Amino acid sequence: MAMATSLGGEPLDLMSRAYSRSNPSFARRAIRLARGTIALRSSIRMNNHGAAGEGGEGMDIPVLSCSEVIERMRENQAAETGQYLAMYSSITGGITTDPAAMVIPLDDHMVHRGHGVFDTAAIVNGYLYEVDQHLDRILRSASTAKITPPFGREAMKNILIQTVTVSKCQTGSLRYWLSAGPGDFNLSPSGCPRTALYAVVIKQYNDNSQKRRGVRVVTSSIPIKPPQFATTKSVNYLPNVLSKMEAEEKDTFAAIWLDDEGFIAEGPNMNVGFVTEEREFIMPKFDKILSGCTARRSLVLAKELVRKGLLAGIQVRDIRVEEGKKALEMMLIGSGVLIKPVLQWDEDVIGDGKEGPVALALLDLILEDMRSGPPEVRTPVPYT
């Protein structure tokens, strides 16, 4: 039977019943394991270093029944802020609102081999922002990762919308994953009978005043992922994590990657943009980095700033570090930060060291687009 790892439901016995509709053998194994666990009330004596029988003051590690596991998970979740509002799992075949049951099988290849892709969409005033664009991207990522989705595109979109509907979340974030699925702990997913879709709705409170504050960045010393992997939004984020940690260790916001030719690439989970001395809005090409949905939308919205005379033009091209550091403005662009002004890169002050007018104007355009943009970027959620 597959063990579970928490994302944040139903109790596991109810989950196993749901699973039994498509996998009866799983349910039978679940019942046998639960009965055996309940009957076993022993404990393992271990010392403080985790080794058994070496003396010293030890601690008792209990063997828990299925219901006790659920109760402890529920207690742990109660100590959190309650930000996980609903989860869909194709493994259970339904949506749960109990964070204690928001779990993924531990033998899912996304968990132990990183064989999975993911994407996200903001929930703003009861609308999903750019869900179609993000959905198209996760399907491209899944194709690159050789993951065949368990459902077609429209069925996936319907599942995502229903999950947000059940959550009743008006402002927050929807995250979703396509995985090679559970099956075993081998390297190849050939033992996985079917792929999986997971989605979770996260409650968030947006403080737009914080988004307007500029930040400092550094050049990342962590090697950038090769293009085949950098252009795929997979769960293999260890380089991204280490890059972000490096930035935090230097008391900065993010670390900026350079590609193998020395051109500016991207941040750990955002794109970068600049305003040149000629007042052109420029952004690195997407052939070696992730094609950011927010970045691409900002290129469309920036046309309004050209019409207003705040910008002279827009380009997507290779950018050298020297040009970037001499720019009038630099900004980070992504679904998490939206448009974040950069005041300093390494030891170089960007522009006059203040939040630039283009970055702030583009932020306002993105925020307005999220609140009242056209139907192609805003999908209503049919709350009941």
Side-chain angles (χ1 to χ4, degrees):
M1 172 186 164
M3 294 171 281
T5 181
S6 177
L7 273 179
E10 311 292 331
L12 290 185
D13 57 342
L14 296 182
M15 292 174 69
S16 66
R17 287 206 298 270
Y19 196 2
S20 68
R21 289 194 291 269
S22 57
N23 193 336
S25 63
F26 175 93
R28 289 194 295 271
R29 282 180 288 162
I31 292 170
R32 286 198 300 270
L33 181 60
R35 287 173 176 168
T37 305
I38 292 171
L40 181 61
R41 313 305 294 173
S42 63
S43 62
I44 304 171
R45 189 73 175 174
M46 301 181 70
N47 67 15
N48 290 333
H49 300 288
E54 293 182 358
E57 184 179 355
M59 61 179 180
D60 289 328
I61 300 180
V63 177
L64 304 174
S65 69
C66 183
S67 59
E68 288 171 330
V69 169
I70 287 293
E71 184 58 32
R72 291 195 177 198
M73 291 177 69
R74 203 165 273 136
E75 290 173 357
N76 289 335
Q77 288 296 330
E80 302 296 330
T81 59
Q83 70 266 38
Y84 305 117
L85 302 180
M87 177 190 171
Y88 169 82
S89 168
S90 64
I91 301 302
T92 61
I95 301 169
T96 180
T97 58
D98 185 348
M102 294 180 184
V103 296
I104 293 176
L106 192 59
D107 67 345
D108 191 303
H109 274 232
M110 182 172 70
V111 176
H112 66 89
R113 297 298 180 187
H115 195 180
V117 296
F118 77 101
D119 224 298
T120 184
I123 307 166
V124 183
N125 298 336
Y127 284 77
L128 278 165
Y129 184 66
E130 288 204 301
V131 66
D132 284 300
Q133 291 80 357
H134 286 276
L135 191 53
D136 288 340
R137 186 172 64 180
I138 195 175
L139 291 175
R140 292 195 300 269
S141 295
S143 177
T144 303
K146 297 185 178 181
I147 297 172
T148 302
F151 310 103
R153 184 190 185 283
E154 290 308 307
M156 282 182 58
K157 182 177 179 180
N158 181 54
I159 288 169
L160 298 179
I161 292 174
Q162 283 194 54
T163 304
V164 179
T165 300
V166 170
S167 76
K168 298 182 172 58
C169 180
Q170 296 280 332
T171 300
S173 177
L174 170 68
R175 284 183 173 267
Y176 43 99
W177 297 260
L178 284 170
S179 161
D184 55 38
F185 288 94
N186 293 330
L187 183 61
S188 167
S190 59
C192 302
R194 55 179 176 158
T195 57
L197 170 66
Y198 307 104
V200 65
V201 178
I202 307 166
K203 179 172 61 177
Q204 292 176 334
Y205 298 99
N206 294 327
D207 185 356
N208 293 330
S209 64
Q210 295 294 324
K211 295 183 184 298
R212 305 181 76 85
R213 294 183 180 177
V215 296
R216 296 183 299 120
V217 299
V218 293
T219 302
S220 179
S221 68
I222 305 300
I224 189 172
K225 291 182 282 190
Q228 179 181 356
F229 301 111
T231 56
T232 301
K233 197 171 178 66
S234 76
V235 298
N236 291 290
Y237 256 46
L238 182 57
N240 309 63
V241 170
L242 294 177
S243 181
K244 178 65 173 179
M245 292 176 68
E246 177 182 34
E248 292 176 342
E249 289 165 359
K250 296 180 179 179
D251 196 27
T252 58
F253 185 79
I256 305 301
W257 269 316
L258 309 180
D259 69 16
D260 56 352
E261 297 181 81
F263 292 114
I264 298 170
E266 60 184 343
N269 62 341
M270 70 281 287
N271 295 97
V272 292
F274 302 86
V275 178
T276 69
E277 294 178 340
E278 295 75 29
R279 307 209 66 79
E280 280 192 322
F281 179 48
I282 60 174
M283 196 178 295
K285 294 187 295 186
F286 298 108
D287 55 344
K288 296 182 179 180
I289 61 176
L290 189 68
S291 179
C293 293
T294 305
R296 288 194 175 275
R297 186 61 181 167
S298 70
L299 291 171
V300 174
L301 296 175
K303 295 177 182 178
E304 177 65 21
L305 302 183
V306 175
R307 286 191 288 269
K308 292 181 176 179
L310 195 58
L311 287 173
I314 301 168
Q315 284 195 64
V316 176
R317 59 174 174 81
D318 291 330
I319 308 170
R320 290 287 184 188
V321 174
E322 296 77 12
E323 182 182 12
K325 290 186 174 183
K326 291 180 180 178
L328 295 178
E329 295 186 41
M330 177 179 179
M331 62 199 80
L332 307 175
I333 307 171
S335 58
V337 297
L338 298 184
I339 307 292
K340 172 70 73 174
V342 175
L343 309 184
Q344 182 176 324
W345 183 359
D346 294 330
E347 303 303 320
D348 296 277
V349 174
I350 304 298
D352 60 3
K354 299 179 181 178
E355 292 83 357
V358 173
L360 296 180
L362 197 53
L363 173 60
D364 288 337
L365 287 175
I366 288 282
L367 290 171
E368 183 60 29
D369 199 51
M370 297 175 80
R371 290 190 295 262
S372 58
E376 57 262 31
V377 297
R378 296 175 72 242
T379 301
V381 178
Y383 300 100
T384 56

